[in-house]
Amino acid sequence: MRFTHPWQALLIGLFATLTFNASGQNIRLSNAAEISLLTCSPSDQEAYMLYGHTAIRVRDMHPASDSTRPIDFVFNYGLFDFSKPHFIYRFARGETDYMLGGSDFEHFLAEYRARGSQVSEQTLALDSAERQRLMDALLENARPENRTYRYNFFFDNCATRPAAMIERAVNGSIAYEERREVETFRDVINHCTRHHPWLTFGCDLVVGAPADRPMHLRESFFIPEQLRESFDGAWIITPDGSKRRLVASTRLLSEQTAPEVTPDFFTPLVCSLLLFIVVALLTLLEVRREACYRWLDCLLLLPAGLAGCVLAFLAFFSVHPAMWPNVTLLWLHPIHLVGLVLVASKRWKRATYVYHFLTFAALLAAAVGYFIIPQHANLAFIPLMLTLLIRSGRNLTRRKKIRFE
């Protein structure tokens, strides 16, 4: 969830303050109060909605505090301001700040219904002391000086924060059932973007080898649906050894509206194959004519070098997890821009030869590296790597005396 204007953030803070902190006192919940975990299924409206959302609902029609009205409120750790200066740069650097905000439950539910999301509610089997402890912690966290946190997609987001708050409120510990299927971080995020091949392609480019290690169960909570499934089979283990289910009941608040998935013919794989075929045919024509299509190399090296600059920035300057090491940097790197200058000029023939030799070797090393490290390679990478390999191989084998067009 995002807000785009400063006044929206101010209203959220004022609403929480006026509702929950009247007279500077915390709310005392009644024995009939309920606290539940809300899980909202993904929506295709925006890229950041593809992973779903998690929030905490507090409902108490007869609070123990005399000055407090009936409560039906949602605590939401997924608020961010897209209009902040340099948002894209800060997001790429991993310096995005999210905040805890909230809204009336009916408004929250209406928003996700409008998006076509399924909203499920898991009422937690917390005793009165645990509910009060969780409520107090949420109120403390909602204070203006406490509500902002540094967002981390894998380890500190709108789903991991509610899970941590609930775990700390429990008297004892929460035991989760281990899953039989072992998944990696990349498996999970690629499943979420499966209907968006270009987004999957982009994620596979920038996310490095650390995303391909198997996740521990607790680490999977960054995806709301994974958290919901884990809560379903979880138990609260009390200090005296007794146990009870974490979830008392589950109900569906909103049905999911099936999105219209429009088939995209020009997927990354199709486009990369077309590029490979065109370059291969032009290279064959170049060989037969004993020509030098320097312009073709320049057209390839410019986007390759610019893409390499983005990858290098994310790998070496971003604090996002799982960006380094990244095998893709072996074949998609900023040095292609140096190669562009060398190829565009008729000078520095020896340096140009060295560049192509290193590029050819790096492409072969990358092909091996994807298996050795290991790191997942998107299928669209293969034609792109072969395209660069063909051009470097052609330049290495070209005769010294050549007719320039």
Side-chain angles (χ1 to χ4, degrees), residues 330-396:
L330 283 173
W331 63 274
L332 207 58
H333 47 72
I335 300 176
H336 287 312
L337 295 179
V338 177
L340 173 63
V341 175
L342 295 175
V343 170
S345 173
K346 294 183 180 181
R347 307 174 186 176
W348 308 306
K349 292 183 180 180
R350 185 180 296 274
T352 304
Y353 180 89
V354 171
Y355 161 75
H356 284 298
F357 178 83
L358 293 176
T359 298
F360 193 88
L363 283 161
L364 296 178
V368 176
Y370 280 120
F371 293 97
I372 292 179
I373 288 185
Q375 179 178 325
H376 169 77
N378 191 290
L379 285 177
F381 293 178
I382 299 174
L384 295 176
M385 294 173 68
L386 288 175
T387 299
L388 293 175
L389 195 70
I390 286 175
R391 293 310 302 167
S392 288
R394 163 60 182 156
N395 281 284
L396 289 174

Side-chain angles (χ1 to χ4, degrees), residues 205-267:
L205 274 178
V206 303
V207 178
D212 292 293
R213 70 167 176 83
M215 293 182 299
H216 302 303
L217 176 67
R218 187 65 180 73
E219 291 174 328
S220 70
F221 292 177
F222 78 100
I223 296 294
E225 181 59 26
Q226 299 270 351
L227 176 63
R228 186 194 66 78
E229 291 178 2
S230 294
F231 268 38
D232 266 342
W235 295 82
I236 297 175
I237 310 298
T238 60
D240 63 7
S242 62
K243 66 178 185 178
R244 66 182 186 276
R245 285 286 188 181
L246 173 61
V247 175
S249 63
T250 302
R251 62 176 179 148
L252 203 60
L253 303 177
S254 176
E255 294 282 354
Q256 184 169 11
T257 303
E260 293 184 6
V261 180
T262 304
D264 186 3
F265 176 76
F266 291 101
T267 64

Side-chain angles (χ1 to χ4, degrees), residues 299-320:
L299 286 177
L300 293 173
L301 294 179
L302 178 60
L306 293 176
C309 289
V310 174
L311 292 187
F313 173 81
L314 293 173
F316 300 117
F317 299 101
S318 172
V319 296
H320 280 298

